[in-house]
Amino acid sequence: MATQAAFAVRFPQLARPSRGQGQPAAAAARVAVRGGGRAAAAAARGVRCRAGGLIEPDGGRLVELVAPEEGGRRAALRREAAALPHRVRLGRVDTEWLHVLSEGWASPLRGFMRETEFLQALHFNAVRGADGSLVNMSVPIVLALDDAQRRAIQASAATSVALVDAHDRPVAVLRDIEIYKHNKEERIARTWGTAARGLPYVEEAITNAGDWLIGGDLEVIEPIKYNDGLDQYRLSPAQLREEFARRNADAVFAFQLRNPVHNGHALLMTDTRRRLLEMGYKNPVLLLHPLGGFTKADDVPLSVRMKQHEKVLEEGVLNPESTVVAIFPSPMHYAGPTEVQWHAKARINAGANFYIVGRDPAGMGHPTEKRDLYDADHGKKVLSMAPGLERLNILPFKVAAYDTKHNKMNFFDPSRKEDFLFISGTKMRSLAKNRESPPDGFMCPGGWKVLVEYYDSLAPPEGSSKLREAVAA
């Protein structure tokens, strides 16, 4: 799994940056970007993004779908939504996808997929842009309807519907709608390569969803907030691009994760930066980008992971002057090589031109058999040839493990393989649950303490044999 520190980053063209490209980073860089209240030039709706020489988003423009504050547009949109006769209530995962779409992570999509886009994503892992070019889009971003809703909307010949939250408050309007059949079996089989029972995302968001899908153009009333104490980390692609430009980044390398950061991960990230400097880049910046949407029940919750990541920077395992920590709002599919394309594509839209990918990215154990669901090497191989990701750069594959001879995480040396210990994510969680210490040098002490305290909080009360239920990430 990805917690065994292995990675790949691809370089189809090892072009050195031109002389003078990139200036020294600001002296007082923050441990994590907290806020995002500044209005970036790149944040203007439909504005091309070349600030700081960053890679252009897919389609050349960030497609931002939140109504502007100026001119009373949000109030007008709220009134429009309240007056619409048909309302579609969003669940948790639906809201996360609304968030993704609203900020332009899925550019050039302008809303939940209509049937043409759905079929292209499902069968080609790409959609065709307005100029005819293929844009990578490996997972469907869709909104389900039940049969009663479908009949009511079609009977009225409505062309727009309001999207509302769990409290029936309007959050967006979906226009020029199209309703089409939700073939769940086909969607599941093509996305995951299996229809076996027990796939976490399927059970959360597909099995009990409606048998119809509704697509259209979105306009979102205001930025999506979760009020969970972590919104300051949820930076949009435009805000991230602004931050990279502020730091004078001439290269951005992204690392997606859904696990705590151990020193093997840090070794991979610091080594990537070293390589970029050797290539001639002046100020490569790391985007440490934990996934913040739906995850399966036994994953460490987002709030705990963010606290652990803060310790990693506070204790100097990663350099805060060259690291931006932010939350990626997407839900997790655990769809292996199919999903890792989505993870990579979304980071292009945030300005990343290098992508670090772990062993078995977005993978999981088979839900009914004692084996991994995907080949551990297929993710990096697929990224190297996926349509629409040609602009993304990848480094040669390396493996990191715990070096018992030097008492630290190190790159695996096959000539002395007996000196290396591979500590899986499962093993790491087992140690923390049992309050056992990992080998010295595996993880920073403060970060490990965060994990131990989390698992202590799940311990059953005295006299009870039942484990407290984990809080979903």
Side-chain angles (χ1 to χ4, degrees), residues 172-221:
V173 171
L174 192 65
R175 297 192 179 88
D176 297 326
I177 58 173
E178 177 185 354
I179 298 175
Y180 56 100
K181 189 68 177 173
H182 186 188
N183 189 332
K184 296 179 184 179
E185 184 177 20
E186 180 186 20
R187 177 184 174 190
I188 294 166
R190 293 201 67 88
T191 302
W192 282 270
T194 180
R197 293 183 180 275
L199 297 167
Y201 184 93
V202 172
E203 293 190 343
E204 176 73 17
I206 299 179
T207 300
N208 296 318
D211 292 330
W212 301 88
L213 297 174
I214 182 170
D217 294 335
L218 267 176
E219 190 173 9
V220 180
I221 295 173

Side-chain angles (χ1 to χ4, degrees), residues 18-250:
S18 59
R19 187 180 300 273
Q21 182 180 0
Q23 301 298 322
R30 292 166 288 174
V31 166
V33 181
R34 301 174 182 270
R38 302 182 305 275
R45 291 160 63 87
V47 174
R48 288 186 178 271
C49 297
R50 283 189 176 275
L54 299 175
I55 188 173
E56 280 197 341
D58 280 337
R61 300 173 184 271
L62 275 179
V63 177
E64 297 182 281
L65 304 175
V66 178
E69 291 186 88
E70 300 80 12
R73 179 59 195 156
R74 290 184 183 175
L77 185 61
R78 191 173 281 108
R79 290 193 297 271
E80 178 188 351
L84 287 170
H86 299 289
R87 294 186 165 203
V88 177
R89 182 171 284 112
L90 302 180
R92 172 192 172 180
V93 172
D94 299 326
T95 301
E96 291 167 357
W97 282 126
L98 181 76
H99 185 178
V100 164
L101 290 165
S102 72
E103 293 184 340
W105 295 101
S107 296
L109 287 186
R110 302 198 62 83
F112 288 104
M113 290 178 172
R114 297 182 175 91
E115 187 175 35
T116 297
E117 295 164 324
F118 172 71
L119 292 174
Q120 289 176 349
L122 200 62
H123 292 272
F124 308 142
N125 286 354
V127 295
R128 197 166 292 283
D131 61 356
S133 63
L134 282 177
V135 174
N136 192 275
M137 182 58 64
S138 61
V139 297
I141 302 179
V142 293
L143 181 60
L145 286 178
D146 62 32
D147 200 47
Q149 290 174 308
R150 188 265 308 176
R151 288 197 303 268
I153 293 170
Q154 290 183 333
S156 68
T159 59
S160 299
V161 298
L163 306 184
V164 300
D165 64 15
H167 303 288
D168 211 35
R169 293 178 298 221
V171 293
V173 171
L174 192 65
R175 297 192 179 88
D176 297 326
I177 58 173
E178 177 185 354
I179 298 175
Y180 56 100
K181 189 68 177 173
H182 186 188
N183 189 332
K184 296 179 184 179
E185 184 177 20
E186 180 186 20
R187 177 184 174 190
I188 294 166
R190 293 201 67 88
T191 302
W192 282 270
T194 180
R197 293 183 180 275
L199 297 167
Y201 184 93
V202 172
E203 293 190 343
E204 176 73 17
I206 299 179
T207 300
N208 296 318
D211 292 330
W212 301 88
L213 297 174
I214 182 170
D217 294 335
L218 267 176
E219 190 173 9
V220 180
I221 295 173
E222 59 188 5
I224 303 298
K225 301 294 181 185
Y226 298 82
N227 301 312
D228 57 357
L230 299 174
D231 282 332
Q232 72 270 22
Y233 285 108
R234 293 184 174 96
L235 302 183
S236 70
Q239 290 169 330
L240 285 168
R241 285 173 174 271
E242 178 194 5
E243 180 62 21
F244 298 144
R246 187 189 74 79
R247 297 191 186 209
N248 294 313
D250 58 353

Side-chain angles (χ1 to χ4, degrees), residues 213-463:
L213 297 174
I214 182 170
D217 294 335
L218 267 176
E219 190 173 9
V220 180
I221 295 173
E222 59 188 5
I224 303 298
K225 301 294 181 185
Y226 298 82
N227 301 312
D228 57 357
L230 299 174
D231 282 332
Q232 72 270 22
Y233 285 108
R234 293 184 174 96
L235 302 183
S236 70
Q239 290 169 330
L240 285 168
R241 285 173 174 271
E242 178 194 5
E243 180 62 21
F244 298 144
R246 187 189 74 79
R247 297 191 186 209
N248 294 313
D250 58 353
V252 176
F253 57 109
F255 187 72
Q256 135 122 9
L257 68 168
R258 57 180 174 85
N259 287 295
V261 174
H262 57 63
N263 290 352
H265 295 135
L267 175 64
L268 300 174
M269 290 181 266
T270 55
D271 188 67
T272 298
R273 189 170 196 273
R274 177 189 62 79
R275 291 176 181 223
L276 293 174
L277 290 168
E278 288 178 353
M279 288 171 58
Y281 289 95
K282 302 300 182 184
N283 188 34
V285 170
L286 165 65
L287 172 58
L288 183 62
H289 214 198
L291 184 136
F294 162 80
T295 56
K296 54 190 176 68
D298 62 347
D299 281 350
V300 177
L302 177 64
S303 59
V304 178
R305 286 184 278 133
M306 294 306 296
K307 187 176 179 181
Q308 194 268 349
H309 298 346
E310 286 180 344
K311 294 296 182 184
V312 168
L313 273 80
E314 287 175 10
E315 297 185 22
V317 177
L318 292 173
N319 183 357
E321 292 193 0
S322 57
T323 303
V324 174
V325 181
I327 292 172
F328 179 44
S330 176
M332 186 77 189
H333 280 64
Y334 305 92
T338 297
E339 184 176 15
V340 73
Q341 296 173 66
W342 157 243
H343 294 166
K345 171 252 172 41
R347 277 37 179 256
I348 291 175
N349 287 332
N353 53 339
F354 297 88
Y355 188 75
I356 304 173
V357 58
R359 176 184 177 274
D360 193 19
M364 59 171 281
H366 194 285
T368 61
E369 302 175 17
K370 291 184 178 181
R371 61 179 178 87
D372 286 344
L373 186 54
Y374 305 106
D375 185 293
D377 292 329
H378 282 185
K380 66 182 177 67
K381 290 179 179 179
V382 166
L383 279 184
S384 71
M385 53 190 173
L389 295 182
E390 294 84 3
R391 297 182 297 149
L392 197 63
N393 301 300
I394 294 196
L395 278 172
F397 182 88
K398 284 191 175 183
V399 176
Y402 187 77
D403 188 339
T404 59
K405 188 173 182 179
H406 296 96
N407 296 322
K408 66 177 184 177
M409 297 299 288
N410 210 344
F411 289 124
F412 178 70
D413 181 354
S415 69
R416 53 183 188 91
K417 59 184 179 182
E418 65 279 357
D419 293 334
F420 287 88
L421 176 66
F422 288 90
I423 301 175
S424 67
T426 301
K427 177 64 174 176
M428 178 181 67
R429 289 190 290 270
S430 176
L431 290 171
K433 287 177 184 177
N434 295 319
R435 299 184 62 86
E436 298 177 34
S437 297
D440 289 342
F442 174 73
M443 184 183 291
C444 67
W448 185 254
K449 183 180 178 183
V450 169
L451 286 187
V452 171
E453 289 175 349
Y454 163 65
Y455 284 111
D456 276 354
S457 74
L458 301 181
E462 191 172 342

